[in-house]
Amino acid sequence: MKKQLTDFIIKTSEMLTPSCGMLTLMPVDGSPLPEIKPGQFVEVAVNSVMLRRPISICDVDYEANELRLLIRNAGKGTSEMLGLPEGSKLNILLPLGNGFTFSDDVVQPGSRMLLVGGGVGTAPLLYLGRILRRKGAEVTFLTGAKTSAELLLVDEMERIAPVAVTTDDGSEGEKGFVVDSTVWQKDYDRVYCCGPAPMMKAVAALARRKEVECEVSLENMMACGLGACLCCVEKTVKGNVCVCSEGPVFNINELTW
Amino acid sequence: MVNLEVNIGSLKLKNPVLTASGTFGYGTEFADLVDLNRLGGFVVKGTTLNHREGNDYPRMAETPMGMLNAVGLQNKGVDYFIEHIYPEIKNIDSKIIVNVSGASVSDYVAVAEKLAPLENIEAIEVNISCPNVKQGGMAFGTTCAGAAEVTRAIRNAYPKTMIVKLSPNVTDITEIARAVEAEGADSVSLINTLLGMAVDVERQKPVLSTVTGGLSGPAVKPVAVRMVWQVSRAVKIPVIGLGGIASGADAMEFILAGASAIQVGTANFFNPRITMEIIDYMEDYCHRHNVKNIYELTGALKL
Ligand SMILES: Cc1cc2nc3c(=O)[nH]c(=O)nc-3n(C[C@H](O)[C@H](O)[C@H](O)COP(=O)(O)OP(=O)(O)OC[C@H]3O[C@@H](n4cnc5c(N)ncnc54)[C@H](O)[C@@H]3O)c2cc1C
Ligand SMILES: Cc1cc2nc3c(=O)[nH]c(=O)nc-3n(C[C@H](O)[C@H](O)[C@H](O)COP(=O)(O)O)c2cc1C
Ligand code: FES
């Protein structure tokens, strides 16, 4: 899968919550999208800051030749992306990273898969869920947020598979964190997780206790996104490895958490 | 036809555009995006005698038009490079320069000796200026005696082109440049990163795990151009200029100020194709200014 630098046009830009928005992007020149694996990410160039910003690929539609990015306003770069009018161009480096495991030896018809997302970390799970369903897996989504107004993509996930919700304040779904959800009472073959680091650590600890395979997607600070600068390293059982090129998805057994 | 060829000692480059150590991996990371064969050359990651894990995360902090890094020379060691990486890159039609680091003079010499027999490595760049390692590194680069000692020892062990990379974190960089020239360096490259620091005010902690780190990117360019100008007037050996180059015009600033070749570092991160754009720009620049050989422009600054 070759990496490419491509100008995309923002077809639509829509705020989903006060701080998060969805961009739908299409290559300006109409060239077909490269093959993209769930859990891979892009690096978006913006004018307000020097370095590109890493963003997970939330969804891919090869027929429409579109990809979607779910972006949380976290500072200068993301706020610029969310503020651009429809029709603007973005220069994007893609596809980057390894992605979640979805090979035939791991995903079989009937495999029980739990996809756990926290906040904007729900983004890469949408495309993953779609692909796992297509392979016949039994998918359950679990998503958490502080409050119901901050929940993301619930309707879209429901079109793919059942969705369990937790909110810190109990304003929707079960009250508590994702690890408190009753969905954990069932058994799973694999857990896929993306969200804030404390949440992923709690999910990893629970998965270890339940002895279930678990993959997490890390968000270390990046400079190049290509495995060249060694800025984004995570300590693993093999020593320091680049999250951008050997991740962002890791099996928790590889991590020192 | 414009001639972009330049010579650094006995090293012949097809054009003056190199990539800076630590910012371009081993070249292969950029192979999908850049025609590596078009580069004048590339300087690979800092290589040490033994494997190094580098510093703890966080190792990077973005700053206005720049970044701080504290990678700390993470690499798998020179033997791994020779066995596993060199065979992968040796046939790229571009000059490969290995950046050499060490904690002691004997380390530097041992690495240089191991690299000397490699046919397709015609030059090393000796890093006496890394701010991110506790021992050695910058310590050698900040005194004339230290810089001279390392240069002399490597000169005796390494017969091919030896470039010495200078630290900007000194009072007078021209003194260090003269010291390494006197000990037989074929060229000097400058600048390495400027020692800097960033604070996370909410957590009231340094952003980097190492507290301080090396500043690079467009923010350092004026300092780098000034130092290249000063050094090129102080020594007779060719100067390789770098620090903040992010466009063809930036590259020409360094050439006019006295550089024979340039390196592109941090800009590779935000514009992976920048080196190709700079080569195109240089060709066009020479056309526009009716210059046949780009080397005629080295130090051509009108004062
Ligand atoms: C592989 C990967 C995938 C990601 N996917 C998404 C996504 O799908 N949607 C999304 O909204 N965000 C995602 N992020 C996080 C996003 O990259 C950061 O929020 C963004 O870079 C912040 O840039 P900024 O200029 O807006 O904020 P800045 O002004 O740079 O910083 C604001 C704050 O965010 C922190 N920050 C900066 N960079 C990062 C980072 N890489 N990770 C975490 N915190 C950071 C800073 O320390 C600072 O406190 C992802 C990050 C990675 C590494
Ligand atoms: C992430 C990173 C890693 C670096 N690693 C090395 C290194 O291993 N050896 C070295 O001599 N210089 C290293 N440098 C310094 C660069 O080669 C260069 O001297 C400096 O960044 C200034 O150029 P720039 O502003 O174009 O990046 C590194 C710089 C960065 C940003
Ligand atoms: S961001 Fe440069 S190596 Fe990962």
Side-chain angles (χ1 to χ4, degrees):
Chain A
M1 215 173 345
K2 266 185 120 172
K3 294 174 185 116
Q4 60 185 60
L5 267 175
T6 305
D7 281 329
F8 280 80
I9 192 158
I10 302 180
K11 271 191 70 184
T12 62
S13 171
E14 185 193 355
M15 291 308 288
L16 305 180
T17 69
S19 63
C20 290
M22 183 76 88
L23 301 188
T24 306
L25 304 163
M26 216 179 155
V28 171
D29 62 3
S31 59
L33 292 172
E35 187 193 329
I36 292 166
K37 295 189 218 157
Q40 286 192 303
F41 66 101
V42 301
E43 284 268 13
V44 184
V46 282
N47 293 320
S48 49
V49 286
M50 180 183 80
L51 296 172
R52 288 169 182 266
R53 292 300 189 248
I55 301 290
S56 300
I57 295 168
C58 173
D59 204 8
V60 186
D61 183 341
Y62 289 108
E63 253 165 53
N65 207 36
E66 288 171 359
L67 56 86
R68 292 197 293 158
L69 305 179
L70 180 65
I71 295 165
R72 182 179 71 90
N73 183 347
K76 281 191 199 143
T78 46
S79 121
E80 179 182 328
M81 287 180 225
L82 291 172
L84 289 171
E86 291 173 357
S88 310
K89 277 185 209 165
L90 283 175
N91 183 262
I92 293 180
L93 175 61
L94 81 167
L96 304 173
N98 60 353
F100 292 105
T101 311
F102 64 104
S103 52
D104 291 344
D105 53 324
V106 168
V107 188
Q108 282 140 15
S111 297
R112 296 155 304 168
M113 306 302 202
L114 179 63
L115 279 54
V116 187
V120 74
T122 308
L125 303 181
L126 188 69
Y127 182 43
L128 174 67
R130 216 187 280 293
I131 287 186
L132 296 180
R133 278 293 296 133
R134 210 174 291 153
K135 299 190 98 174
E138 193 184 294
V139 172
T140 306
F141 287 106
L142 168 60
T143 186
K146 281 204 188 75
T147 166
S148 75
E150 290 179 19
L151 283 165
L152 290 160
L153 305 178
V154 175
D155 293 351
E156 290 213 48
M157 290 188 289
E158 273 172 346
R159 268 179 254 142
I160 300 169
V163 182
V165 168
T166 62
T167 49
D168 298 4
D169 64 358
S171 51
E172 191 162 335
E174 295 176 89
K175 183 175 158 80
F177 300 125
V178 288
V179 285
D180 304 323
S181 167
T182 47
V183 296
W184 292 100
Q185 288 165 6
K186 282 199 236 157
D187 289 329
Y188 299 96
D189 296 311
R190 187 168 286 254
V191 174
Y192 300 90
C193 180
C194 183
M199 184 205 100
M200 290 197 286
K201 284 186 181 167
V203 168
L206 183 57
R208 277 216 178 86
R209 267 204 311 281
K210 294 176 67 84
E211 293 178 5
V212 51
E213 288 287 328
C214 179
E215 298 181 10
V216 294
S217 180
L218 305 187
E219 292 202 348
N220 291 12
M221 222 88 88
M222 294 180 178
C224 70
L226 294 167
C229 72
L230 308 187
C231 285
C232 63
V233 292
E234 177 73 19
K235 239 185 212 135
T236 70
V237 292
K238 291 185 296 180
N240 284 328
V241 308
C242 290
V243 170
C244 69
S245 53
E246 299 192 43
V249 178
F250 292 90
N251 190 300
I252 56 170
N253 297 328
E254 298 170 74
L255 300 175
T256 56
W257 301 356
Chain B
M1 259 303 276
V2 173
N3 173 23
L4 293 183
E5 286 171 25
V6 294
N7 295 338
I8 302 295
S10 57
L11 181 72
K12 291 192 186 339
L13 304 177
K14 66 174 96 169
N15 64 60
V17 180
L18 309 166
T19 57
S21 178
T23 66
F24 205 67
Y26 294 103
T28 47
E29 293 86 343
F30 284 75
D32 289 348
L33 304 160
V34 165
D35 180 359
L36 298 172
N37 298 320
R38 268 192 86 196
L39 288 171
F42 52 100
V43 185
V44 303
K45 249 173 229 174
T47 302
T48 52
L49 185 56
N50 300 311
H51 169 102
R52 281 181 60 97
E53 272 298 301
N55 295 318
D56 284 345
Y57 181 85
R59 295 175 168 189
M60 191 273 283
E62 191 169 352
T63 56
M65 287 315 279
M67 61 180 275
L68 291 164
N69 91 81
V71 171
L73 296 174
Q74 179 178 336
N75 78 103
K76 295 202 163 116
V78 66
D79 291 333
Y80 184 92
F81 171 80
I82 293 170
E83 271 168 51
H84 299 280
I85 298 166
Y86 176 65
E88 297 288 310
I89 60 176
K90 67 175 189 183
N91 292 325
I92 298 172
D93 183 20
S94 165
K95 301 293 178 186
I96 307 162
I97 301 167
V98 180
N99 181 269
V100 174
S101 262
S104 65
V105 173
S106 61
D107 275 11
Y108 277 101
V109 170
V111 177
E113 277 175 343
K114 283 173 187 266
L115 294 170
L118 303 183
E119 204 182 330
N120 294 355
I121 301 217
E122 296 169 42
I124 56 171
E125 180 181 62
V126 181
N127 178 10
I128 56 166
S129 46
C130 183
N132 294 326
V133 287
K134 287 201 183 76
Q135 300 161 287
M138 195 164 75
F140 290 109
T142 51
T143 64
C144 288
E149 186 193 354
V150 190
T151 308
R152 189 183 319 127
I154 301 175
R155 183 71 293 171
N156 290 331
Y158 190 79
K160 303 186 200 173
T161 301
M162 170 166 75
I163 303 159
V164 178
K165 185 166 181 180
L166 305 182
S167 170
N169 303 304
V170 293
T171 311
D172 182 358
I173 195 167
T174 63
E175 282 180 5
I176 314 275
R178 278 197 214 95
V180 303
E181 179 183 40
E183 295 298 343
D186 297 303
S187 168
V188 284
S189 56
L190 60 139
I191 58 175
N192 206 316
T193 53
L194 280 153
L195 196 59
M197 178 168 165
V199 174
D200 180 334
V201 292
E202 288 306 320
R203 290 167 58 241
Q204 304 184 340
K205 282 184 167 180
V207 178
L208 298 175
S209 68
T210 47
V211 185
T212 60
L215 180 65
S216 65
V220 309
K221 194 189 70 178
V223 177
V225 174
R226 182 265 293 179
M227 288 185 164
V228 164
W229 182 67
Q230 290 177 319
V231 167
S232 69
R233 290 155 63 101
V235 297
K236 294 194 180 63
I237 52 177
V239 173
I240 301 174
L242 73 155
I245 296 176
S247 71
D250 291 348
M252 287 312 302
E253 276 195 58
F254 282 81
I255 302 269
L256 292 167
S260 298
I262 59 100
Q263 294 180 10
V264 185
T266 303
N268 290 304
F269 303 159
F270 52 90
N271 181 2
R273 291 188 46 78
I274 178 67
T275 45
M276 302 293 108
E277 291 172 17
I278 293 174
I279 296 167
D280 292 341
Y281 180 95
M282 284 179 165
E283 219 155 39
D284 179 61
Y285 183 92
C286 289
H287 271 299
R288 284 193 287 113
H289 291 268
N290 274 321
V291 174
K292 276 210 191 76
N293 305 295
I294 196 159
Y295 60 74
E296 295 166 39
L297 292 171
T298 292
L301 190 68
K302 297 172 185 145
L303 289 171

